[in-house]
Amino acid sequence: MKKVVLRSAVVACVTVAAVTGCYSDKGAGAKMSNGCEPSVVVKPFGKTKDGQLVQQYTLTGAGGVVMDVIDYGGKVVRLYTPDRTGAKTDITLGFNSVSGYETQDPYFGSLIGRYGNRIANGKFMLDGKTYTLPTNNSPGDLPCSLHGGNKGFDAYVWHSEPLSEGKSVGIKFTMTSPDGDQGYPGKLDVTVCYWLSPANVWRIEYEAVTDKATPVNLTQHLYFNFKGEAEGTILDHELTLFADQMTPVTKGLIPTGKIVPVKGTPFDFTTPWQIGARINADNEQLRFGGGYDHNWVLNNRSGKLAPAAALYEKTTGRYMEVWTTEPAIQFYCGNFLTDKVPSKKPGRNLCHRGGLALETQHSPDSPNQPDFPSTILRPGAVYKTVTEYRFGAK
Ligand code: GAL
């Protein structure tokens, strides 16, 4: 295990074992104390099938949250947060090996780009020219391009370096997506920083610049289960979405272009609702999604950081707020997950709806939807968004 020299003198270079008892990888229920010494520790995670070395960073936050992140797709492999008694559990879905991600990955914990979510038929028109993308997904037998195509940003090994500032620690990821990558125009230079603060906030800062106009819609696809990875479904989690409207979809999970109020429907999460409470309602949208797999238009569309969602699980007390500068959020409740997907826990598998994702972004298919906020980045402009996942327990 390599010790990482951080730029700030405030953050000690320590190995995981030396972190004052904050972190011990004993699995669910291990105790986590507050007031940890923040650190970043790097060690090899494995190799891609084409032989690239994949590094794992362990970020230990001063508030006690610990995350293991790999430079392959910027994936969060493990995320330990305290419950209301201070016991920590890994609350995210992932795999213990690179090959797990390469063979059967539902985008667990990944950075998603160049375009998070779907583009209808893998086609869009920009400045009079039609572009064709790989159609790597076809819900309802209607092909679309999903999460950047056949090789999205989740499948790149990113350049990475540790960060520190005050008592926060982090990782800076950079990569260049070449002109024509997956059919998209322009060379796109992308920087994503993950920060873990003493207040147990995981802050993600996205930046990109291009040399030709191109759609950009970056997001993070972490799956949460506050009871712990492979500990049943998320149907009992209580969700709040700060969104009075959503974008209904076709059976291909492509927005129809309408933006409709959620009031009086199973999509109204403006007050906390158990995810399972209305999921089987007689509702065409729920049938198309196989449950919740939709995009909500956030009430805050100012571009300033504001609450988008809150999630609570009452047996553990785990609570999280999602804040973002983005105008929309995809809530996906793991409808495509099955018990064929292995867990990180030996001998165990996941289950249908064993995790949920809250993906901050612009709405799906925006390049083909004139009434949605634009996702087109032009040369000279800088794409900049911020999302925070704020962890706690009550
Ligand atoms: C989500 C999407 C789902 C599914 C999932 C990956 O972002 O909304 O429909 O494709 O990614 O399995």
Side-chain angles (χ1 to χ4, degrees), residues 106-133:
Y107 302 93
F108 284 164
S110 300
L111 286 176
I112 304 288
R114 186 175 300 199
Y115 196 94
N117 221 316
R118 297 187 163 83
I119 295 186
N121 219 7
K123 287 202 188 304
F124 66 92
M125 195 185 244
L126 176 57
D127 298 336
K129 192 171 163 196
T130 298
Y131 292 90
T132 302
L133 314 168

Side-chain angles (χ1 to χ4, degrees), residues 105-107 117-118 137 146-147 221 223 253 293-294 330 332 336 357 359 361:
D105 185 21
Y107 302 93
N117 221 316
R118 297 187 163 83
N137 190 243
L146 175 69
H147 294 335
H221 208 300
Y223 287 70
L253 301 185
D293 190 359
H294 295 79
Q330 182 82 8
Y332 166 59
F336 293 115
E359 309 154 49
Q361 55 190 230

Side-chain angles (χ1 to χ4, degrees), residues 179-196:
D179 187 9
D181 191 8
Q182 301 294 304
Y184 287 96
K187 172 168 95 68
L188 191 75
D189 290 306
V190 189
T191 303
V192 180
C193 293
Y194 290 175
W195 286 101
L196 190 53

